[in-house]
């Protein structure tokens, strides 16, 4: 099967040297890419800026901003069987970009923000969508309720929920724990394990779902 996977954070520039971003390391998305390749699938990995070596057999598309990630995802949809949107896309970006460095003495009392385009929702809204669409839900509270709401709102087939409030799991960690919400309102808990182990289990679940659909 052909997988499209997004991973890592995005950076939203303020000026040539400053940006807004988040704590995503990209490890979960890269582990999913690795696990898909291991299982013999084809992988297009659309990656924000991370300090990780990309799996050598993946086709890697590097992007920086949420706008670039949006355009790259839509450009590589042809022939995809499963899309897994794991990237921690910034929800907001500065409304204005200064093409020259803002000097300290000028001050920067406030930064006006505008929402970014939601990549996952844009795929959920596609008519005649032929691929299985899996999104992530990073939550600090009411994990299952919030993730279920995301599944419906963004019209995904599957939502993979992770609790980002646990300090030893999630962002920047090698381990995670995932709750996979399925379309029939059932869920599967993948208990705490290394991200590569979770990724292997997730690939099997997604492949089986796609085959059944
Ligand atoms: N996502 C996306 N494009 C965005 C924002 C998020 O594709 N501009 C995707 C992420 O890749 C992830 C999913 O949406 O698969 C959920 O991301 P999350 O940050 O948990 O949800 P938000 O929609 O940002 O909602 P909130 O911040 O209110 O929880």
């Amino acid at each position: 099967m052909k997988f499209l996977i997004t991973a890592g954070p995005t950076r939203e520039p303020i000026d040539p040297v400053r940006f807004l971003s988040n704590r995503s390391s990209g490890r979960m998305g890269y582990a999913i890419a690795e696990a898909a390749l291991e299982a013999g699938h084809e992988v297009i990995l659309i990656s924000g800026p991370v300090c990780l070596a990309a799996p050598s057999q993946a086709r890697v598309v590097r992007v920086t901003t949420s706008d670039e990630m949006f355009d790259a995802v839509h450009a590589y949809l042809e022939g995809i069987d499963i899309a897994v949107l794991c990237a921690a896309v910034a929800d907001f970006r500065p409304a204005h970009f200064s093409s020259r460095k803002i000097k300290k003495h000028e001050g920067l009392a406030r930064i006006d923000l505008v929402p970014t385009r939601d990549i996952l929702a844009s795929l959920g809204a596609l008519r005649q969508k032929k691929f299985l669409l899996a999104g992530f839900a990073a939550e600090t509270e009411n994990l299952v309720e919030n993730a279920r709401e995301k599944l419906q709102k963004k019209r995904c087939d599957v939502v993979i929920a992770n609790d980002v409030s646990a300090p030893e799991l999630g962002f920047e960690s090698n381990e995670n724990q995932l709750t996979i919400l399925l379309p029939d309102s059932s869920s599967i808990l993948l208990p705490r394990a290394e991200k590569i182990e979770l990724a292997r289990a997730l690939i099997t679940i997604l492949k089986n779902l796609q085959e059944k659909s």
Side-chain angles (χ1 to χ4, degrees):
M1 286 191 186
K2 195 168 167 186
F3 279 72
L4 180 146
I5 298 164
T6 69
T10 62
R11 288 180 182 171
E12 310 303 324
I14 298 165
D15 73 8
V17 297
R18 302 181 178 96
F19 55 80
L20 298 178
S21 193
N22 60 62
R23 287 179 55 197
S24 169
S25 66
R27 283 193 194 128
M28 193 67 234
Y30 275 55
I32 295 169
E34 190 81 59
L37 289 164
E38 249 178 48
H41 302 295
E42 201 182 318
V43 171
I44 297 175
L45 176 60
I46 300 183
S47 175
V50 295
C51 301
L52 297 171
S56 58
Q57 300 134 283
R59 176 155 185 197
V60 185
V61 180
R62 294 187 192 282
V63 297
T64 305
T65 65
S66 58
D67 265 346
E68 288 169 8
M69 188 172 276
F70 185 104
D71 292 341
V73 166
H74 283 268
Y76 285 91
L77 280 183
E78 184 67 36
I80 293 298
D81 299 297
I82 302 181
V84 188
L85 299 204
C86 190
V89 184
D91 289 325
F92 301 97
R93 64 175 176 78
H96 308 288
F97 169 70
S98 167
S99 55
R100 56 166 197 82
K101 185 184 169 194
I102 300 164
K103 301 297 285 177
K104 188 163 58 181
H105 70 81
E106 295 172 62
L108 189 56
R110 53 181 274 183
I111 300 171
D112 290 329
L113 300 174
V114 292
T116 57
R117 292 182 288 175
D118 194 306
I119 304 168
L120 183 58
S122 74
L123 296 189
L126 287 177
R127 287 174 182 212
Q128 298 171 328
K129 180 172 71 64
K130 294 200 189 101
F131 52 86
L132 185 90
L133 179 60
F136 266 74
E139 306 293 346
T140 56
E141 54 198 358
N142 304 328
L143 184 80
V144 173
E145 296 82 347
N146 286 343
R148 180 75 54 202
E149 199 183 308
K150 252 168 223 176
L151 184 137
Q152 280 153 5
K153 214 168 64 191
K154 303 197 188 193
R155 297 204 224 161
C156 309
D157 300 303
V158 178
V159 162
I160 304 138
N162 67 325
D163 181 348
V164 286
S165 65
E168 71 286 7
L169 295 176
F171 290 135
E172 295 162 5
S173 163
N174 272 325
E175 293 193 334
N176 212 344
Q177 171 170 305
L178 302 175
T179 305
I180 303 175
L181 306 186
L182 302 171
D184 64 0
S185 74
S186 65
S187 63
I188 302 171
L189 174 71
L190 298 181
R192 181 173 175 171
E194 294 220 334
K195 286 180 175 174
I196 187 67
E197 293 299 332
L198 297 171
R200 287 181 185 129
L202 179 63
I203 291 297
T204 305
I205 292 167
L206 295 178
K207 182 187 130 271
N208 290 342
L209 277 174
Q210 171 64 329
E211 275 170 356
K212 267 196 259 160
S213 68

